Amino acid sequence: MKLLVLGGTGRIGREIVAQGVARGHHITAQSRGEGPHGLPPSVAVVRADPSDPAALAGALAGQDAVIYALGFRGRGEVSFFSATTKALLAAMHTSGVRRLIAITGIGAGDTKGHGGFVYDRLIYPLFTKNLYADKDRQEALIRASRFDWTMLRPAPFKTRPGNEPFQILTAVAPGTRLSSVTPAEVASLALDCAERGLHQHQAAFFGHGVAA
């Protein structure tokens, strides 16, 4: 497959790029900064503003699918995720690419309050609450689109796999708690969805933990 990875030089994007190359895909990685990026030599790196629909349409030309793995750090009101998603959807319309895998995260939609004590009581209210208010807007834009989308909502990131079972849930019941997932696991599921058409028109909450 030919895959465009938005945020291809970030933490999750690098994992997707590396695993995608290992699986034999032709990868284009979008970056907001100049190199060197330390990516495999077979990867095409495109410097593009992810809020510019024309730049994204150029990067999307000839691709089979796009994986949204952009990240943002900041306090206060956030509009980065909704603005870049709006630009991406416009670019997909222009380029004719229909398959989108968007990595959002725990705290979006009905996953709020299901990340374990530390995340729910400390990390979310102190650090990520405003990010996820915008990720809710991002998800609403994706749901309203006519593309073949999948939204992936990973549990809190950890460096090692959790001891509890790995779960992929498309409905979140009271009592569900998923408290860990590794970047490698996120990348693997994103690529599985791109390759096999998994979870189309679904939001999948995943990671290690307990499903009620």
Side-chain angles (χ1 to χ4, degrees):
M1 294 183 71
K2 294 181 179 179
L3 298 173
L4 171 64
V5 181
L6 297 188
T9 58
R11 182 183 184 188
I12 303 302
R14 285 179 178 273
E15 280 285 352
I16 296 169
V17 168
Q19 290 189 32
V21 170
R23 295 188 188 197
H25 299 305
H26 299 280
I27 306 293
T28 299
Q30 174 272 337
S31 173
R32 283 170 275 179
E34 296 182 354
H37 302 291
L39 297 176
S42 63
V43 175
V45 179
V46 174
R47 187 183 181 194
D49 179 351
S51 64
D52 181 349
L56 294 181
L60 278 165
Q63 305 291 343
D64 296 311
V66 54
I67 300 177
Y68 181 110
L70 290 166
F72 177 83
R73 293 182 181 180
R75 298 289 183 91
E77 294 299 317
V78 176
S79 61
F80 176 83
F81 299 106
S82 56
T84 53
T85 296
K86 188 177 294 184
L88 174 60
L89 296 175
M92 290 176 67
H93 178 76
T94 299
S95 64
V97 175
R98 294 200 51 80
R99 186 70 172 115
L100 166 63
I101 296 91
I103 299 168
T104 61
I106 182 168
D110 58 2
T111 64
K112 181 181 177 181
H114 293 275
F117 180 86
V118 173
Y119 184 82
D120 295 338
R121 301 296 180 88
L122 297 175
I123 296 175
Y124 179 84
L126 294 177
F127 300 105
T128 65
K129 182 178 180 179
N130 288 333
L131 297 178
Y132 280 96
D134 193 45
K135 289 196 176 190
D136 282 342
R137 293 187 285 270
Q138 174 191 26
E139 289 198 353
L141 289 169
I142 293 171
R143 286 185 187 278
S145 76
R146 296 183 178 182
F147 298 110
D148 300 324
W149 55 264
T150 297
M151 293 187 292
L152 298 181
R153 298 163 164 177
F157 295 136
K158 300 293 176 64
T159 56
R160 297 180 181 178
N163 294 323
E164 294 176 307
F166 185 81
Q167 313 275 356
I168 302 175
L169 309 174
T170 55
V172 185
T176 295
R177 174 186 52 77
L178 303 186
S179 57
S180 68
V181 73
T182 67
E185 289 170 326
V186 177
S188 179
L189 182 57
L191 289 166
D192 287 346
C193 289
E195 292 170 355
R196 297 158 53 192
L198 303 178
H199 302 298
Q200 287 196 39
H201 300 137
Q202 291 182 325
F205 176 36
F206 65 103
H208 295 269
V210 177

